[in-house]
Amino acid sequence: MATIAAADVKKLRDATSAGMMECKKALEESGGDFDKAVEILRISGAAKAAKRGAERTASNGIVAASGNTLVELLCETDFVAKGDDFQGLANAVAAAAAGVGANDAAALGDVTIADGRTVNAAIAELAGVIGEKLELGRVATFAAPTALYLHRRSSDLPPQVGVIVEYTGDEEAARGIAMQIAAMRPMYVTREQVPAETVENERRIAEATAKEEGKPEAALPKIVEGRVNSYFKDTVLLEQPSVVDNKKSVAQVLADANTAVTGFARFEAGQA
């Protein structure tokens, strides 16, 4: 067995971020060949990440943006999310996604980032080094102009809630709406975008609940309509009360600013 110098172990550790003992074992297995040891660590690290992937959930991560594109890169812990390597990869993926106008995560995996690797390969390699499950999450690209809001839950964490808004009109008003979306979690811009089956289901629930409460039969249509409208106020952006002025709806605030929202995406790391 080749004698492994401590300096060689340190060099391998600096290059791969793997543990000292893992580096020593890899060098012993490779007979002291540095490049082969790197390959051994990549293979064993990837295998470890894959094994964990079957039993652990990537429910943490970061939301990153570039141009008119928003992406989500997921990991298991906030410790990894804080790391420079992870954040650097998220920004590289966002830049690559913006370059191709990506809206599909599966297709984005085959796109090349600045260093020549595909997105999928870069994620797999970092997962191998870190030993934690990493996943590409959602991606969305909108036509310019767009307004962006990235929210940090804590000063020591990267942005984990991100909103991008496609709009016409005033940029400041659009950014205020992005903050509204971050806080209030709407699902649609207008009530016309709500699927008909969803509305019908809300009507059924509202009617069944009113009957269970013993409401008069004659009053049911009005009660049902009121509860469906409440659902729209919760889930439809334009019908939500403004967080800036709760006496106005978002639609009224936008009208006052001569601004219209044509689309948005809200990503919260690890939350569907």
Side-chain angles (χ1 to χ4, degrees):
M1 181 181 294
T3 301
I4 306 302
D8 292 334
V9 175
K10 184 178 184 304
K11 179 183 175 184
L12 184 59
R13 185 174 187 273
D14 289 343
T16 64
S17 299
M20 294 291 285
M21 291 305 298
E22 288 179 313
C23 290
K24 185 171 185 291
K25 289 177 182 177
L27 284 166
E28 288 173 348
E29 186 176 337
S30 69
D33 186 306
F34 184 84
D35 290 337
K36 286 185 179 179
V38 170
E39 184 175 331
I40 289 167
L41 285 173
R42 285 180 58 191
I43 292 171
S44 64
K48 183 190 302 182
K51 182 179 178 182
R52 288 185 175 184
E55 55 197 38
R56 300 180 70 170
T57 303
S59 57
N60 214 298
I62 184 173
V63 179
S66 179
N68 301 317
T69 298
L70 196 67
V71 300
E72 178 186 40
L73 187 62
L74 302 172
C75 58
E76 294 180 39
T77 64
D78 62 5
F79 178 79
V80 167
K82 295 176 186 179
D84 291 341
D85 290 343
F86 183 78
Q87 293 184 38
L89 177 57
N91 289 329
V93 171
V100 298
N103 275 297
D104 179 76
L108 178 57
D110 295 325
V111 173
T112 301
I113 62 175
D115 65 10
R117 296 177 296 170
T118 66
V119 169
N120 282 340
I123 292 173
E125 288 181 24
L126 185 58
V129 171
I130 292 174
E132 186 168 299
K133 182 178 182 179
L134 307 183
E135 287 182 346
L136 178 62
R138 294 163 287 184
V139 57
T141 300
F142 289 95
T146 58
L148 176 71
Y149 176 64
L150 298 176
H151 177 72
R152 297 173 184 264
R153 296 192 183 106
S154 173
S155 61
D156 65 336
L157 290 173
Q160 294 187 306
V161 178
V163 176
I164 189 166
V165 173
E166 182 184 70
Y167 72 97
T168 58
D170 182 72
E171 181 179 1
E172 185 177 349
R175 190 172 188 278
I177 297 305
M179 296 175 71
Q180 164 98 23
I181 293 167
M184 302 305 292
R185 299 177 171 87
M187 299 170 64
Y188 314 96
V189 177
T190 67
R191 67 166 62 191
E192 287 74 25
Q193 294 175 344
V194 183
E197 59 270 24
T198 299
V199 177
E200 184 56 34
N201 190 53
E202 289 299 317
R203 289 188 183 281
R204 282 197 298 268
I205 292 171
E207 183 174 356
T209 303
K211 288 179 177 179
E212 185 69 23
E213 292 168 349
K215 304 295 185 186
E217 191 73 25
L220 289 181
K222 188 173 182 179
I223 292 170
V224 169
E225 198 62 30
R227 291 180 178 178
V228 171
N229 283 333
S230 292
Y231 170 79
F232 286 139
K233 285 184 179 180
D234 285 339
T235 60
V236 174
L237 174 64
L238 296 185
E239 302 196 22
Q240 288 185 335
S242 168
V243 295
V244 176
D245 183 353
N246 60 18
K247 294 181 180 179
K248 294 182 177 181
S249 68
V250 170
Q252 290 170 320
V253 169
L254 286 169
D256 290 345
N258 196 27
T259 300
V261 170
T262 52
F264 72 85
R266 180 190 186 277
F267 297 162
E268 183 169 355
Q271 304 293 319

